[in-house]
Amino acid sequence: MSFNIKEWIFTTDHKRVGVLYLIGSIAAFGVAGIAAMLMRIELSTLGPTITTNPTQYNVWLYAHGAVMILGFQIPALTGFFANYCIPLMIGAKDVAFPRVNALSVWLFYVGIILALLTFVVPDPPDVMWTGYPPYSTITTGNTALYSFTVLVLGFASIIGGVNFLTTVAYMRAPGLKWSNLNIFVWCTLGAFVLQLIFVPVLGTAVTLISFDKYLGTHFFDPSRGGDVLTYQNLFWFYSHPAVYVIFLPFIGVVYEIVATFAKNRVFNHKVVLWGGIGGIVILSGEVWVHHLYVSGMADWIRIGQMVTTLLISIPVGLLVISLAGTLYKGSITFETPMLYALGVLFLFLIGGLTGIPLALTSLTLHLSDTYYVVGHFHYVMAVAGTFAIFGGVYYWFPKITGRMYNERWGKIGFWLTFVGVNIVFWIMMTVGVKGMPRRYYDYSAFPQFESAHQWMTLGAAILGVGFLIAVANWIIGAMKGAPAGDNPWRSQSLEWTTVSPPPHGNWPSPPSVDPDWTPYSYERR
Amino acid sequence: MHTENTAPGGRVSATAAAWAGGCAAWLAAASALAYEPASAAPGRINDPAAGWDHLWHEVIVDITIIGVIFALVMAWFLWRYRARKPGEVGTQSKLSPAAVIGWAVIPTFIFMADDFYLAANGWKLWNDYRDVPADRMEVKLESGMYSWDYTYANGVRTQNVLRVPAGKPVMLRMTSRDTLHSHFIPDFRVKEDSMPGRVTYLWFYPKAPGEHVVSCAEYCGVMHSYMAGKIIVMPEGEFKTWLDQEVAKLAPADKAVDKSAEKTADKPANPPV
Amino acid sequence: MSHEVGAVHGDHGHGAHWEWSMWPAVASLGILALALAFSFHFVYHQSFTAVITLGIGVVMVLAGVAGWTSEAMGHGEGLSFGAMGWFILAEAMIFVSFLGSYWFLRLGAPFWPPENTPEIPKVLPIIMTFVLVGSSFTMHHAEALLHQGNQAGFRTWLIITLAMGAAFLGMSAYEWNHLIHGGFSISTNVYGTFFFSITGFHGGHVIVGLSIFLAGLPSALRGQAEPGFWRTAGLYWHFVDIIWFFVVSQIYFW
Ligand code: HEO
Ligand code: HEM
Ligand SMILES: [Cu+2]
């Protein structure tokens, strides 16, 4: 196949746009991962270790948090997977607006360039990924870079969302009913609806801190009648739903993998759509105050949102039941993608259930802003989210490249990461309960935690090696893996019915499906 | 406005609070900015720190049971339904309409029951955190980059070290002169942010003499991790002696200044608390 | 640049031609330059570099938009109306955030408006409201004519709509000028902050709406107005007008 560089980087084809998203987000993961390793090394001894400048640590932490969420997980899930899979899964030749799609991936690159400038500009931003004023409006760090990173990435995501909602509404293959769409498609649409509703709120919030800092406004300045809590409300009004923007697509990926490797019907398909995904979309806008439990919000709203937060366990629980039920009477095999998906299934339990104590306002008066919180969200994002992304890349790898990765190294990489993440993030939660505050460059006030921190650094090294092996496996597999065939997993889903890798336009002739077809009907074969 | 100090945790009131919280969110949040601590009846002290340990234990048992059940079921399925020969497919049949509904409604109610149980307990403990005993010592705290500045009722000021008598509940009324900070006392299981323009509060119950770490738990700038202090709990008599000595050191003018400061802090002019 | 939207290529993509367009990249890099210009000016105080980057950014964004429009005009897939609905949802949320923050502050404030707020004249906003709402009706009428195939009538009413939009902007500029000269600006107090940012933000939307009209104007003048495009443009215009009700009622009259 001839390789035409401008048909790659200026592409408007959804698959190539998807691959560009993948490359960018994995690169972002690498850089943010290096920042994480630097932090872990810094924390391996009490007092200064590799830098004597606290701002240096704070900049790593800022870059790590912001890039992991905004530059890695959201783009990988709603950029790469959505782009690559949705048109193929609905039997479309491309998305509704291919040029808008190209704009979205280019803006994504602009966004990560802005984020990565953190490492080279003078006075880099040190406002943490939350960017709370008043600090963000008085720091000498470059808060504008933070604002623009968020705005550009947010805009990229919004136009992506508009594009995909339109695509699925109008471009489904003949005969493909809404209710028979892949669960991944449903999950991603849910995530896009959340993005469309809530990203603008975040955009407003970060714009206003730059206004306050550079243009002399007083949104968050109490001395002129402003209020610092306004920002926190706006920020979490988006950023809580954002965790479901991550959760929904990743659980969608897990559904595809589990159904394929169990060769089984999805348990209680309808309830997944309406109870699970629908429930999460509806509830996710009413719980943001659980991030403000110690911030001085009025008592009654803390109580109200304690209840709504707890109720989120219902739709999420329905999803977990359905995933477990999909294993029931299956015929299960354990290739690398399935190992990652099962990793999500087990470790998300830990992550999700440790959110329950945090949901209780009173327990959070002790737990908030400690390593317990850091442990909780790493279990749900860094572990469950990343495993789902890695599993998904392995799963669709033969489709994307037409080649096979190395199964043995895939498994070795998985187990190393699995061991590593549990060492790091379990210990995080335990020291957190004992009082270790987050965002500490130096924990001299808590010398008793030094050995725990050393174990965490060790665990981080192990998991880092695991991730490196996975990425190396993809690169080598893409270049010289064995030909994989069109449907190596014998999946029923539409994306596997075309050739691997799919040509421009996806199908030689556009597919159509029977009304009683579903992506998970295995027993009919 | 504050949560009424009624018997906590009724199911109905919990649901009602949920809906109230969800629906009227923005508007309501705005109208409820003003809140004041409720005072518990004299002589009644529910130590939140002890309550915290108790509830924590209960919740951990609760979620561990849930987690273990799910994990065991999944592990069993993985073992039982592993593929035996190549080319096999799963044999799960389609759920009947009744089963679809059953598998939605029954788990929903089980989970909801657990949620309300947890919410009720959480709310109960929350009331302990928010009902400050009437018989208390009040100290004002102004936090700043990077120190904790305490002012006692009689005008005595200290920095980064708060001395308190054993056996008496202590309440802090907090504000900040620059960025956000959070006064975190791990040993007393409590923290609350302080910020410019508003006054927040927290209380704790030091029972026995000893020393406790205070650390800042809300990212406040470059030296955030060095913003540590301590609380020294002294026997009642010793504390009195110490306080009297400090008062004696105060210039008369300072005392007067502090009286006026006290008044404004109760009803800060702008914006309201 | 290729235009074969929808061409389905044969087996295995061998030698097949993949579509591409460089205009999204040009526009994106322009946005990067704009972001950098902001930092150069406000953070690093290097005004010369800032002006250069600003210039580059503006040129690239405009080139991107122009290139894109000329490449894609007339090749629309007819789905833009539905997409605009979703986009408007996102836009509306920005106004919700502004107004939500405004209520949050306002309802918690001890007195309102804060000190140093002058009396804001109330007559002009009422006239502005009539003009803007009127332009929604004229636009609607224009669309209806276009639907009947009456290109000339459409053209007339479109130009009337444009003029009304421009008049609205003019009045807004007059009012701002008046207030700022009276000593009331975005940094006077938190009311000024909200007043100028919300009305300014709404004005920005009016400008975007007018720009969409201008982008389609050449073809309309040639008598080749495309109903799909104008239906979408009209939807956006109606949205801008409806939002104004919220702005005017909350900011001026409450
Ligand atoms: C993908 C990301 C993700 C996900 C899915 C979640 C899921 C949840 N989170 Fe977490 N979170 C995420 C990411 C974060 N959370 C955070 C912080 C955070 C805080 C604030 C802590 C603080 O700062 O003081 C609370 C209260 C929660 C609660 C919850 C709850 C209740 C859930 C629920 O959705 C979990 C539901 C799942 C469950 C419960 C398990 C499965 C259900 C079963 C088995 C059914 C039966 C269970 C019961 C009846 C209990 N989270 C932060 C910190 C941000 C920062 O400050 O920087 C991040 C990034
Ligand atoms: C790969 C291994 C990872 C390691 C070893 C790691 C380690 C860390 C460490 C040490 C901190 C700082 C804690 C503190 O000082 O408060 C941190 C913070 C954070 N991490 Fe990770 N992390 C990893 C992966 C991830 C991933 C994949 C994500 C995201 C999706 C993520 C998201 C975050 C966030 C949001 C923060 C908080 C930043 C802040 O406080 O502003 N991390 N991580
Ligand atoms: Cu949350």
Side-chain angles (χ1 to χ4, degrees):
Chain A
M1 212 199 299
S2 65
F3 183 81
N4 182 333
I5 185 84
K6 66 179 189 298
E7 287 183 7
W8 262 103
I9 60 177
F10 295 134
T11 184
T12 57
D13 182 274
H14 74 96
K15 298 179 292 300
R16 291 188 164 185
V17 167
V19 171
L20 292 182
Y21 256 116
L22 177 65
I23 295 171
S25 52
I26 294 295
F29 176 66
V31 176
I34 292 171
M37 282 314 299
L38 291 171
M39 290 190 291
R40 283 296 354 141
I41 297 171
E42 174 53 50
L43 294 170
S44 62
T45 67
L46 216 55
T49 308
I50 51 175
T51 172
T52 51
N53 177 4
T55 300
Q56 183 65 67
Y57 180 90
N58 295 340
V59 169
W60 291 334
L61 181 51
Y62 159 75
H64 170 73
V67 173
M68 281 292 190
I69 293 181
L70 300 169
F72 164 55
Q73 296 221 315
I74 295 181
L77 291 162
T78 64
F80 162 62
F81 287 116
N83 260 300
Y84 203 91
C85 301
I86 288 183
L88 288 170
M89 283 176 172
I90 66 171
K93 59 189 172 6
D94 205 321
V95 293
F97 308 104
R99 281 187 190 77
V100 172
N101 215 14
L103 180 66
S104 145
V105 72
W106 269 90
L107 285 174
F108 159 65
Y109 273 92
V110 168
I112 53 179
I113 290 172
L114 287 171
L116 299 184
L117 280 178
T118 301
F119 291 102
V120 295
V121 295
D123 300 328
D126 63 339
V127 297
M128 302 296 133
W129 84 282
T130 45
Y132 281 0
Y135 184 68
S136 57
T137 60
I138 63 173
T139 171
T140 52
N142 185 345
T143 305
L145 205 50
Y146 167 72
S147 299
F148 278 102
T149 306
V150 174
L151 282 173
V152 169
L153 290 171
F155 189 64
S157 184
I158 285 186
I159 59 180
V162 171
N163 208 343
F164 281 102
L165 286 161
T166 316
T167 304
V168 178
Y170 297 114
M171 296 174 71
R172 276 165 290 132
L176 182 49
K177 293 187 294 193
W178 279 101
S179 56
N180 285 345
L181 291 174
N182 287 59
I183 290 185
F184 171 77
V185 176
W186 271 91
C187 286
T188 311
L189 292 186
F192 276 131
V193 169
L194 292 178
Q195 286 290 77
L196 284 183
I197 297 178
F198 295 106
V199 167
V201 182
L202 176 72
T204 311
V206 299
T207 307
L208 300 191
I209 51 174
S210 273
F211 271 35
D212 266 16
K213 182 162 184 188
Y214 302 109
L215 305 181
T217 56
H218 304 292
F219 289 103
F220 311 124
D221 171 11
S223 71
R224 299 288 188 89
D227 187 338
V228 293
L229 275 186
T230 317
Y231 178 85
Q232 298 182 27
N233 278 288
L234 289 174
F235 182 87
W236 289 111
F237 198 58
Y238 166 71
S239 292
H240 179 80
V243 310
Y244 297 112
V245 170
I246 293 174
F247 172 74
L248 283 173
F250 90 54
I251 213 71
V253 169
V254 171
Y255 263 107
E256 300 304 325
I257 299 177
V258 167
T260 295
F261 289 92
K263 299 277 174 301
N264 214 358
R265 176 193 297 284
V266 164
F267 184 77
N268 223 352
H269 196 141
K270 278 213 180 59
V271 172
V272 171
L273 307 187
W274 302 111
I277 302 172
I280 290 176
V281 168
I282 287 168
L283 275 175
S284 64
E286 285 98 33
V287 302
W288 78 93
V289 171
H290 69 225
H291 296 273
L292 301 175
Y293 280 161
V294 299
S295 72
M297 288 292 284
D299 288 1
W300 67 271
I301 196 166
R302 301 194 224 192
I303 294 293
Q305 298 216 348
M306 165 172 85
V307 180
T308 45
T309 302
L310 284 165
L311 290 179
I312 290 258
S313 64
I314 296 172
V316 178
L318 292 175
L319 293 181
V320 176
I321 290 182
S322 142
L323 276 167
T326 304
L327 300 172
Y328 176 68
K329 291 199 175 170
S331 168
I332 304 167
T333 53
F334 297 91
E335 287 86 347
T336 309
M338 184 62 164
L339 289 186
Y340 277 100
L342 294 174
V344 177
L345 234 52
F346 284 94
L347 299 183
F348 178 76
L349 276 181
I350 302 183
L353 289 168
T354 52
I356 296 300
L358 287 173
L360 300 181
T361 338
S362 37
L363 288 183
T364 303
L365 289 185
H366 175 63
L367 298 173
S368 186
D369 290 313
T370 65
Y371 265 55
Y372 180 83
V373 177
V374 182
H376 154 71
F377 68 70
H378 277 92
Y379 261 106
V380 270
M381 296 196 302
V383 180
T386 310
F387 276 21
I389 292 170
F390 274 57
V393 174
Y394 272 119
Y395 176 60
W396 281 293
F397 187 87
K399 178 63 31 186
I400 300 168
T401 61
R403 295 170 186 276
M404 210 53 181
Y405 59 86
N406 181 311
E407 190 63 54
R408 175 122 77 91
W409 281 103
K411 287 187 171 138
I412 294 176
F414 167 77
W415 284 111
L416 281 175
T417 343
F418 186 86
V419 172
V421 291
N422 283 299
I423 297 178
V424 186
F425 302 123
W426 188 272
I427 300 181
M428 267 191 190
M429 294 197 292
T430 59
V431 294
V433 178
K434 293 183 195 143
M436 173 73 209
R438 67 190 279 200
R439 298 172 170 177
Y440 265 33
Y441 153 73
D442 179 353
Y443 48 101
S444 297
F446 300 91
Q448 68 271 33
F449 298 138
E450 191 175 16
S451 69
H453 274 289
Q454 282 158 358
W455 279 101
M456 285 190 258
T457 305
L458 177 75
I462 298 176
L463 75 87
V465 172
F467 281 138
L468 280 181
I469 290 177
V471 176
N473 198 348
W474 300 336
I475 294 174
I476 295 171
M479 291 189 312
K480 36 186 176 191
D486 292 346
N487 188 1
W489 314 127
R490 295 186 295 119
S491 169
Q492 290 289 300
S493 183
L494 267 188
E495 78 270 25
W496 298 101
T497 60
T498 183
V499 288
S500 301
H504 184 51
N506 293 346
W507 278 275
S509 58
S512 65
V513 299
D514 304 341
D516 67 337
W517 170 92
T518 83
Y520 314 108
S521 328
Y522 283 93
E523 77 285 9
R524 294 192 313 153
R525 296 218 317 175
Chain B
M1 197 165 114
H2 59 84
T3 332
E4 301 257 325
N5 184 20
T6 48
R11 258 169 211 224
V12 182
S13 41
T15 345
W19 286 113
C23 302
W26 271 109
L27 266 181
S31 59
L33 288 181
Y35 64 95
E36 271 292 294
S39 278
R44 207 188 108 211
I45 297 179
N46 294 319
D47 179 14
W52 193 95
D53 288 353
H54 182 77
L55 181 58
W56 168 255
H57 184 78
E58 218 170 86
V59 174
I60 288 299
V61 170
D62 185 298
I63 60 179
T64 308
I65 292 175
I66 297 174
V68 168
I69 291 176
F70 272 89
L72 285 180
V73 170
M74 289 189 308
W76 163 245
F77 285 171
L78 288 178
W79 170 254
R80 172 69 184 73
Y81 299 110
R82 66 193 187 282
R84 283 150 218 260
K85 16 182 216 311
E88 235 177 29
V89 297
T91 56
Q92 189 173 126
S93 46
K94 206 169 172 169
L95 290 185
S96 68
V100 168
I101 294 174
W103 275 105
V105 171
I106 296 172
T108 297
F109 276 98
I110 296 175
F111 297 161
M112 206 189 304
D114 192 39
D115 289 342
F116 285 153
Y117 166 77
L118 293 169
N121 282 306
W123 192 354
K124 185 155 167 278
L125 178 59
W126 170 253
N127 284 335
D128 293 348
Y129 270 107
R130 300 318 270 175
D131 297 344
V132 193
D135 174 30
R136 65 195 176 216
M137 180 173 99
E138 282 199 25
V139 180
K140 292 206 185 64
L141 164 64
E142 186 183 87
S143 38
M145 295 155 89
Y146 299 92
S147 69
W148 308 105
D149 298 330
Y150 303 99
T151 309
Y152 291 81
N154 56 14
V156 169
R157 292 159 181 256
T158 63
Q159 189 167 62
N160 291 340
V161 178
L162 176 67
R163 288 168 196 273
V164 297
K168 180 137 185 140
V170 180
M171 174 178 168
L172 299 179
R173 286 183 189 272
M174 308 181 289
T175 185
S176 162
R177 57 174 173 267
D178 38 48
T179 65
L180 303 174
H181 304 275
S182 194
H183 193 272
F184 178 27
I185 326 167
D187 288 350
F188 293 121
R189 311 279 188 267
V190 69
K191 72 167 70 66
E192 183 92 10
D193 286 5
S194 60
M195 73 201 97
R198 281 169 185 261
V199 178
T200 53
Y201 70 92
L202 60 76
W203 76 278
F204 55 95
Y205 186 27
K207 290 184 191 142
E211 276 191 25
H212 307 274
V213 175
V214 171
S215 63
C216 182
E218 191 68 77
Y219 178 68
C220 61
V222 184
M223 304 301 274
H224 167 58
S225 66
Y226 292 103
M227 194 166 158
K230 76 183 148 188
I231 291 178
I232 303 183
V233 188
M234 309 165 90
E236 175 124 37
E238 265 177 50
F239 175 77
K240 273 231 161 61
T241 334
W242 171 81
L243 196 62
D244 290 343
Q245 279 169 6
E246 294 295 309
V247 175
K249 285 192 227 156
L250 280 182
D254 277 352
K255 294 181 195 168
V257 169
D258 273 288
K259 281 245 172 62
S260 63
E262 195 174 321
K263 274 204 195 97
T264 44
D266 279 341
K267 280 211 184 316
N270 184 28
V273 180
Chain C
M1 249 95 307
S2 94
H3 297 299
E4 302 136 90
V5 176
V8 173
H9 293 281
D11 38 340
H12 301 242
H14 277 294
H17 177 68
W18 291 64
E19 275 165 56
W20 58 284
S21 165
M22 73 184 216
W23 301 115
V26 172
S28 304
L29 293 175
I31 291 176
L32 175 62
L34 295 181
L36 295 179
F38 188 94
S39 271
F40 278 128
H41 181 73
F42 286 105
V43 185
Y44 302 116
H45 307 293
Q46 298 181 347
S47 301
F48 182 69
T49 327
V51 172
I52 303 280
T53 14
L54 181 71
I56 295 176
V58 170
V59 169
M60 286 181 81
V61 170
L62 290 180
V65 173
W68 184 326
T69 332
S70 67
E71 193 176 285
M73 216 14 134
H75 297 270
E77 287 98 305
L79 301 178
S80 57
F81 190 71
M84 183 55 90
W86 287 111
F87 190 70
I88 284 176
L89 169 67
E91 289 260 44
M93 284 308 292
I94 306 184
F95 286 98
V96 169
S97 329
F98 267 112
L99 293 173
S101 313
Y102 181 67
W103 295 328
F104 184 79
L105 238 140
R106 160 115 206 222
L107 294 175
F111 53 88
W112 195 263
E115 280 169 68
N116 301 329
T117 309
E119 192 58 39
I120 312 261
K122 296 278 160 63
V123 181
L124 192 59
I126 294 181
I127 301 176
M128 286 164 73
T129 308
F130 276 109
V131 172
L132 200 62
V133 173
S135 77
S136 238
F137 285 102
T138 55
M139 186 62 204
H140 185 77
H141 188 57
E143 280 175 64
L145 292 178
L146 182 61
H147 193 70
Q148 297 156 11
N150 181 348
Q151 290 272 356
F154 167 73
R155 195 159 55 216
T156 315
W157 286 95
L158 174 67
I159 290 174
I160 295 176
T161 309
L162 266 166
M164 289 171 88
F168 175 87
L169 281 180
M171 286 186 271
S172 194
Y174 169 81
E175 180 194 39
W176 273 34
N177 192 24
H178 178 76
L179 288 172
I180 292 172
H181 278 106
F184 181 65
S185 76
I186 197 165
S187 46
T188 304
N189 59 25
V190 76
Y191 180 70
T193 290
F194 271 103
F195 177 87
F196 285 100
S197 50
I198 296 186
T199 54
F201 192 68
H202 177 267
H205 279 72
V206 176
I207 294 177
V208 171
L210 291 179
S211 311
I212 299 179
F213 288 172
L214 288 178
L217 195 60
S219 60
L221 291 180
R222 271 182 267 122
Q224 292 164 355
E226 197 193 342
F229 173 86
W230 287 103
R231 202 158 78 104
T232 310
L235 181 63
Y236 189 78
W237 190 251
H238 297 314
F239 160 71
V240 171
D241 298 351
I242 289 169
I243 286 288
W244 173 252
F245 274 114
F246 291 90
V247 176
V248 79
S249 62
Q250 302 304 300
I251 303 292
Y252 290 87
F253 292 102
W254 176 56

